[in-house]
Amino acid sequence: MTMNIVQTLPLIALAALAACAELRPAATTAPRPAEEAAARPQARPASVAPAANARTAEQFDTTTAEQRAAAAAPKAGGERSLGTSVASLGDPSKPGFWLETPLVTSPTQGRVRYPGSGKSAQVELLPIDGTTTSGSRISLAAMRLIEAPLTDLPTLEVYAGG
């Protein structure tokens, strides 16, 4: 069975991102205090990291069916809109449902919605440097759940709380 270039493009992009993740320098900031990490809400159990030889989206996405169902479940109110953000695929070797975004200043639970599919995912919102108009990075698991194309830069609606 032969694959054409259009079918292999997402796999090539994932492989390139994985290679970049391996070349990324170590973080230069000090680790967060244990109390801060313990105080962060954990809505779902953490996912396991993908195998070192992962090459496909399915191999990189190590979330379970239960975790995907929990992330897709709507929350009962109490959230507020933070605005929209153009997102790229984040580090595919970092498991779970998360969005690294300049729209928050501290880790918090939230939700992202992709208008293109109408689907949303509960995610951990993680702060990154930049202005609120800077882009965000979304986890592979979240991007797949909201059915956003892996090689696009989708505009996402971002909500905190819920």
Side-chain angles (χ1 to χ4, degrees):
M1 178 168 119
T2 59
M3 296 178 74
N4 68 34
I5 190 69
V6 174
Q7 291 171 312
T8 59
L9 188 56
L11 299 177
I12 293 168
L14 281 174
L17 286 171
C20 290
E22 291 174 12
L23 298 174
R24 189 179 59 211
T28 56
T29 59
R32 292 188 181 125
E35 310 83 56
E36 183 179 327
R40 284 196 331 212
Q42 297 295 322
R44 293 167 291 283
S47 299
V48 297
N53 63 348
R55 297 291 177 257
T56 67
E58 288 75 21
Q59 291 170 335
F60 275 101
D61 185 355
T62 60
T63 57
T64 65
E66 292 80 17
Q67 290 168 319
R68 288 187 294 274
K75 294 288 183 174
E79 64 183 17
R80 64 182 166 73
S81 174
L82 299 177
T84 61
S85 185
V86 174
S88 64
L89 178 62
D91 181 352
S93 68
K94 184 177 173 185
F97 297 93
W98 47 266
L99 178 75
E100 296 171 328
T101 182
L103 297 175
V104 296
T105 57
S106 62
T108 189
Q109 290 303 119
R111 179 174 67 94
V112 294
R113 181 179 177 276
Y114 175 50
S117 68
K119 298 197 176 207
S120 65
Q122 302 298 322
V123 296
E124 183 174 16
L125 301 173
L126 303 168
I128 57 172
D129 289 332
T131 64
T132 56
T133 57
S134 299
S136 299
R137 296 181 295 265
I138 187 169
S139 72
L140 174 64
M143 202 164 197
R144 291 181 72 200
L145 187 64
I146 63 175
E147 297 179 1
L150 298 178
T151 56
D152 282 359
L153 297 172
T155 298
L156 305 176
E157 298 169 357
V158 183
Y159 301 89

